[in-house]
Amino acid sequence: MNTFSRRNFVSNVVVLTAALAAAVPALAHRDHESDRDYHERHSYREGKVFISTNAPGNNELLVLAPDDTGSLSLVKRVATNGQGTGAGLGSQGAVTLSTNGRYAFVVNAASNTVSTFALGRNSVELTSAVDSGGLQPISVTEYEGIVYVLNAGGSGNVAGFRNTHGQLRPLHDGVRALSAAGGTNAAQVGFGADGEVLVVTEKATNSITSYNVRRNGTLSQPIVTPSSGQTPFGFAFDKRDYLIVSEATASGASSYRFPETGPAMAQLISASVPNTQGAACWVVTTPNGRYAYTTNAATSTLSSYRIARSGSIELANAVAGTTGVNAGALDMAVTPDGEQLYAFAHRSLQIVSFSVKHNGDLTRLGASSAIPSGSAGLAAN
């Protein structure tokens, strides 16, 4: 080996040794971090919170992540290629996640479109922005690749799509009317826990409109049930497929079941149960099916309800949590493990984080940085 080659050989060994030594602390740090923690920090499919800005010029999907204290920080913002209204939509479900966790859907109420985002390990990518099938889309829901959008403007309708690798394709015969041609002031569309029923709440008609879902994703004609309480607003299905509906005027909630066969008519279980607060509008249920929570817009509080195995509900805590003095309380989301709950405080422009105890109690953890005024929809994975 000549001098030049030997010198290069020695030099390369020194460089390689130094590189290995520098890598040891990083590798050791990785060993002390669980695979799940590492995945959650770097993936957009777990441990993130999603809200739309609903901005009139350029709507965006904001992605936030909690720190060790539960407070949220913005980690990503992506344009929807659509336009929001700049003001609250008066709806639940403006942002929703797919059942397989790979996609997020966002309504653009001012441009009459709905956007789809692919959620990857390291990216959030807009994959399509399509016509919503009506006017003023305000709520969207998905079950195993079938997507329905609630269009509140004009005559009002629900329009169905199939999600194919992030591209929404309209379903043939996929549009259905609401309970009336206009004037329903609809608030939310959502699938039942098994995907066999689709539900819409209508504030102005005090109605729950439901549809049987066929195997090809199309719907039966609408079936209309009077709401137990005035102004049915948000709703959520629990794991046993009971429907829990919030009622804004009396600030309460009621529960319903659907028959296993035959027309999808909502059958009352618990008549309206008041929570003594103001304007219960949004509602979520815990994954274990034991508790439901409403956000009360007028009093900036959250109320908790116990759900029995029979589907009946009772008030557990009128003030289970608060977002702050006059902070407001609108959209809500609960994590898939049921351990954390998030509520959008629209007047303080924050997303407030709570831990969910085994007995249903809430403990406030922290809050996000500033969220744009007029933001709408909330989802968590």
Side-chain angles (χ1 to χ4, degrees):
M1 181 180 292
N2 59 41
T3 304
F4 178 81
S5 299
R6 189 163 45 245
R7 184 179 298 125
N8 277 274
F9 173 77
V10 172
S11 176
N12 288 339
V13 169
V14 171
V15 170
L16 179 59
T17 303
L20 289 172
V24 169
L27 291 171
H29 174 75
R30 178 68 181 87
D31 288 341
H32 286 295
E33 182 179 36
S34 74
D35 288 340
R36 179 176 178 83
D37 288 343
Y38 182 84
H39 179 69
E40 284 185 357
R41 287 197 306 109
H42 292 82
S43 173
Y44 288 96
R45 294 184 185 173
E46 283 187 85
K48 303 297 185 291
V49 177
F50 305 82
I51 191 170
S52 78
T53 63
N54 190 34
N58 184 14
N59 192 13
E60 292 179 295
L61 177 65
L62 305 184
V63 186
L64 302 98
D67 61 21
D68 292 339
T69 68
S71 296
L72 295 169
S73 298
L74 181 68
V75 294
K76 191 81 170 178
R77 59 192 310 156
V78 190
T80 68
N81 280 6
Q83 298 179 6
T85 64
L89 298 178
S91 69
Q92 180 167 318
V95 176
T96 195
L97 304 178
S98 63
T99 48
N100 64 11
R102 295 182 178 181
Y103 299 96
F105 307 95
V106 181
V107 296
N108 304 299
S111 56
N112 304 320
T113 57
V114 58
S115 300
T116 303
F117 294 86
L119 306 180
R121 290 183 179 272
N122 301 293
S123 65
V124 179
E125 179 184 359
L126 176 69
T127 55
S128 69
V130 304
D131 190 289
S132 68
L135 301 175
Q136 195 186 343
I138 60 170
S139 180
V140 58
T141 187
E142 187 267 3
Y143 185 84
E144 294 187 352
I146 301 298
V147 176
Y148 270 90
V149 179
L150 171 61
N151 293 293
S155 297
N157 66 30
V158 288
F161 302 83
R162 185 177 296 278
N163 178 28
T164 305
H165 305 299
Q167 301 293 320
L168 293 192
R169 316 285 188 188
L171 292 176
H172 176 69
D173 190 32
V175 177
R176 289 291 181 271
L178 305 180
S179 72
T184 63
N185 197 12
Q188 184 184 353
V189 63
F191 280 103
D194 59 8
E196 296 182 358
V197 172
L198 188 80
V199 170
V200 173
T201 42
E202 299 178 4
K203 294 176 284 187
T205 61
N206 290 312
S207 298
I208 298 169
T209 299
S210 51
Y211 311 80
N212 292 89
V213 182
R214 305 185 181 115
R215 289 187 178 181
N216 65 358
T218 62
L219 306 176
S220 68
Q221 292 304 307
I223 301 165
V224 183
T225 304
S227 171
S228 173
Q230 279 193 303
T231 322
F233 194 110
F235 64 83
F237 283 88
D238 74 355
K239 71 172 188 177
R240 299 183 183 90
D241 219 17
Y242 295 124
L243 174 67
I244 315 298
V245 180
S246 62
E247 299 154 349
T249 298
S251 196
S254 53
S255 64
Y256 303 81
R257 65 165 58 90
F258 288 91
E260 293 185 5
T261 60
M265 178 171 286
Q267 301 171 347
L268 182 66
I269 302 174
S270 287
S272 184
V273 181
N275 61 25
T276 74
Q277 299 299 292
C281 293
W282 286 260
V283 61
V284 295
T285 57
T286 54
N288 63 13
R290 296 180 60 191
Y291 300 97
Y293 300 88
T294 64
T295 48
N296 310 306
T299 50
S300 305
T301 57
L302 288 75
S303 298
S304 60
Y305 290 82
R306 280 184 287 268
I307 308 172
R309 294 185 65 86
S310 63
S312 63
I313 61 173
E314 63 176 354
L315 183 65
N317 195 339
V319 182
T322 178
T323 57
V325 177
N326 198 36
L330 300 185
D331 297 87
M332 251 192 314
V334 64
T335 55
D337 60 11
E339 293 182 359
Q340 286 188 296
L341 183 151
Y342 301 99
F344 176 41
H346 63 292
R347 287 192 284 273
S348 68
L349 301 179
Q350 293 180 314
I351 298 173
V352 181
S353 309
F354 300 88
S355 66
V356 181
K357 304 303 182 186
H358 182 72
N359 64 357
D361 288 348
L362 299 179
T363 300
R364 179 170 171 146
L365 298 175
S368 70
S369 54
I371 300 297
S373 178
S375 293
L378 201 61
N381 62 11

